[in-house]
Amino acid sequence: MKRILALGIGLLLSCSDDLPEDSSLSSFIGTKEIVMDNVIACAASNPNDDLVSVFLYPRPGATNIQYFEAIDEGIEKTDFDAYQIKVSPLLDVFNGFLQKFEVAIDQEKWVIVSFEEDGKIHLSNPIRIKNKSKPTEYIATNVSLEPNTINPLISWEDGLYDDTKIYFQVITDANNNLISGTYTFDRFFRFYELDNVVLNITPRTPDSLQPGLTYGITLLAVSEDNWVNLFSTRNFTP
């Protein structure tokens, strides 16, 4: 899961500003056991506002999801004393299969998300926010689909940035429910073949796509430091 982006259940986190005096990530962890690099997460700038979306995959059973920001851009990314907890709404993505924090970040910096599972605190890889220097590119014309087949070959081209390390592909139904979620190092994926899939978060083997129905493809191209370079969405009909 390393280097993966390696991006709520409708529940909002408390909006109280009454955080403890020491609200650092180190203090939050305390004496609990931690599991490093074990939350799939990434971040992207938004196309229509100044906010940043910090996406995560909350595995079934995950609780107490939290978001932490570095105190400034110059910290060592693994210095947990230099991250502060931030209270922010937790919102649904793909009807709750993924979740995201929507945050205002004026200075590019590192962020981390966490959740608790099986009595341990699981942390994401640090995510480098690059909303000023590399705003996420939103286009759909870079994605091509093989026509007239129920297991189409989906392929794509990179956009402005050349430092993408991994690609996240989500197939959804007409109601935006996730059908499959897969990661590849290649710029292609055939539904639902896993030969080149390096990580699969699909909850079960999906049914075949049905001719004549409308589906969606969402593609995220993610850099090594978990910033989304490219965000593409389009509909298709097998």
Side-chain angles (χ1 to χ4, degrees), residues 17-237:
D17 292 327
D18 298 329
L19 294 174
E21 184 175 345
D22 182 359
S23 56
S24 69
L25 177 53
S26 291
S27 177
F28 176 80
I29 293 169
T31 59
K32 290 185 178 179
E33 183 177 351
I34 64 171
V35 183
M36 300 288 294
D37 309 334
N38 199 29
V39 177
I40 299 173
C42 63
S45 55
N46 291 349
N48 300 318
D49 58 41
D50 293 331
L51 299 178
V52 170
S53 293
V54 181
F55 300 96
L56 71 139
Y57 168 52
R59 293 189 295 270
T63 61
N64 195 19
I65 299 170
Q66 301 289 347
Y67 166 73
F68 300 85
E69 278 185 18
I71 55 176
D72 60 54
E73 62 181 345
I75 73 157
E76 291 293 329
K77 64 180 181 179
T78 55
D79 180 4
F80 294 162
D81 288 326
Y83 288 86
Q84 294 290 311
I85 192 169
K86 299 291 184 180
V87 176
S88 178
L90 187 59
L91 306 174
D92 281 348
V93 181
F94 304 124
N95 294 321
F97 187 83
L98 301 183
Q99 297 174 296
K100 67 176 179 177
F101 293 100
E102 292 277 89
V103 293
I105 301 180
D106 294 329
Q107 181 186 51
E108 296 190 348
K109 60 181 66 177
W110 295 100
V111 304
I112 288 176
V113 295
S114 73
F115 57 62
E116 294 189 35
E117 182 183 52
D118 299 327
K120 303 174 184 178
I121 296 179
H122 298 253
L123 303 178
S124 71
N125 263 323
I127 304 164
R128 184 63 179 182
I129 303 301
K130 294 185 279 190
N131 54 330
K132 307 298 184 182
S133 59
K134 283 189 172 183
T136 302
E137 184 182 10
Y138 285 81
I139 55 175
T141 54
N142 66 314
V143 178
S144 301
L145 290 105
E146 184 181 19
N148 304 318
T149 176
I150 60 172
N151 60 334
L153 178 67
I154 304 166
S155 58
W156 53 87
E157 299 295 332
D158 282 327
L160 295 172
Y161 311 122
D162 61 2
D163 62 338
T164 293
K165 295 297 183 182
I166 200 163
Y167 302 90
F168 179 38
Q169 311 91 40
V170 174
I171 306 297
T172 52
D173 65 17
N175 295 316
N176 206 35
N177 296 307
L178 183 140
I179 296 174
S180 71
T182 49
Y183 291 83
T184 68
F185 293 133
D186 301 316
R187 292 197 298 268
F188 64 88
F189 166 70
R190 183 180 291 278
F191 183 88
Y192 175 71
E193 297 179 3
L194 305 180
D195 295 348
N196 68 330
V197 169
V198 295
L199 180 67
N200 185 9
I201 61 171
T202 308
R204 62 176 182 84
T205 301
D207 297 330
S208 298
L209 303 182
Q210 299 299 307
L213 296 183
T214 298
Y215 298 91
I217 168 73
T218 300
L219 171 73
L220 278 68
V222 185
S223 66
E224 188 171 355
D225 49 12
N226 302 303
W227 179 250
V228 177
N229 286 330
L230 176 68
F231 197 118
S232 301
T233 58
R234 61 167 292 182
N235 293 331
F236 68 97
T237 303

Side-chain angles (χ1 to χ4, degrees), residues 2-16:
K2 287 186 177 180
R3 308 184 194 282
I4 292 179
L5 350 154
L7 346 75
I9 54 178
L11 177 68
L12 297 184
L13 296 180
S14 169
C15 292
S16 171

